[in-house]
Amino acid sequence: MHIENFHLVEISSSLWLAGWNQKEPALTNKFHVGDQLLSVNGQPVTTVTEASNIMEMTPGGVELLLKRIPLAAEYKLHREKEAEDWGVQIRQNRLVDVIHGGIAWTAGLQPFSAEFNDKTCAWAITQVNRSPVSILCRSTDVILNKIDCGNTDVSITLQPSDFVSLLSN
């Protein structure tokens, strides 16, 4: 594995995965946006330079220790009929409201309840049914189509929008 296959971002003295080479077969279905990279080959890393140096010194494979999306919350929603509304309002990849008494509300999802850097913020949708949603997505319809694809069950992974904004810079 090479550092060029990853988009790593330094935030709050930690190293975070913002993306990876989707065309590299060895990386398929192994990573999630928002994974925290803790170490490379057993050596703790907090900067891109540290990770890069260790990877460059290792000609073969490397061992990455990740903390799987530690800032994320996952909600599993169920509706009785496909025609039922999930009860969420989305703008681009941001959750802007949850309809009181709706399916999402009943599942415990609350708007503006994410926390990042000791501050409350909105949620950003980063996965639907465990399939990644681009953190650069600016189309509300793309995400709504993934959520409302005719199923009675959906899983939504959310991360603090302030954190996702930093990942996308």
Side-chain angles (χ1 to χ4, degrees):
M1 270 188 264
H2 298 284
I3 194 74
E4 324 53 75
N5 285 320
F6 300 96
H7 179 186
L8 298 169
V9 178
E10 297 171 25
I11 302 172
S12 302
S13 301
S14 292
L15 207 48
W16 302 90
L17 189 61
W20 57 94
N21 182 352
Q22 301 278 333
K23 294 179 183 174
E24 181 64 46
L27 305 179
T28 303
N29 297 324
K30 291 190 173 63
F31 301 101
H32 300 270
V33 168
D35 283 350
Q36 184 179 14
L37 180 58
L38 301 174
S39 68
V40 178
N41 290 345
Q43 297 181 47
V45 292
T46 58
T47 68
V48 174
T49 301
E50 289 172 346
S52 178
N53 289 341
I54 296 167
M55 285 183 181
E56 286 175 12
M57 292 187 315
T58 310
V62 296
E63 180 182 299
L64 304 177
L65 177 61
L66 300 168
K67 190 170 191 178
R68 181 69 71 208
I69 47 178
L71 302 179
E74 182 178 14
Y75 289 87
K76 295 177 190 291
L77 309 179
H78 173 77
R79 60 186 177 185
E80 296 300 319
K81 301 175 191 153
E82 290 178 18
E84 278 184 277
D85 188 79
W86 294 110
V88 294
Q89 292 181 351
I90 298 166
R91 185 173 306 117
Q92 298 174 341
N93 64 346
R94 302 295 194 263
L95 178 70
V96 294
D97 201 6
V98 177
I99 308 306
H100 184 78
I103 293 169
W105 181 278
T106 303
L109 183 54
Q110 299 293 312
F112 300 98
S113 61
E115 289 189 19
F116 180 67
N117 282 345
D118 298 321
K119 187 176 108 185
T120 302
C121 63
W123 289 108
I125 298 171
T126 57
Q127 292 181 11
V128 175
N129 293 327
R130 305 209 177 205
S131 174
V133 172
S134 171
I135 59 176
L136 302 175
C137 183
R138 299 294 176 243
S139 171
T140 302
D141 290 339
V142 167
I143 295 176
L144 286 175
N145 288 338
K146 284 182 177 242
I147 292 172
D148 201 25
C149 63
N151 294 327
T152 55
D153 294 289
V154 68
S155 170
I156 301 173
T157 303
L158 306 154
Q159 298 190 59
S161 61
D162 289 356
F163 171 66
V164 172
S165 292
L166 293 172
L167 289 177
S168 63
N169 288 338

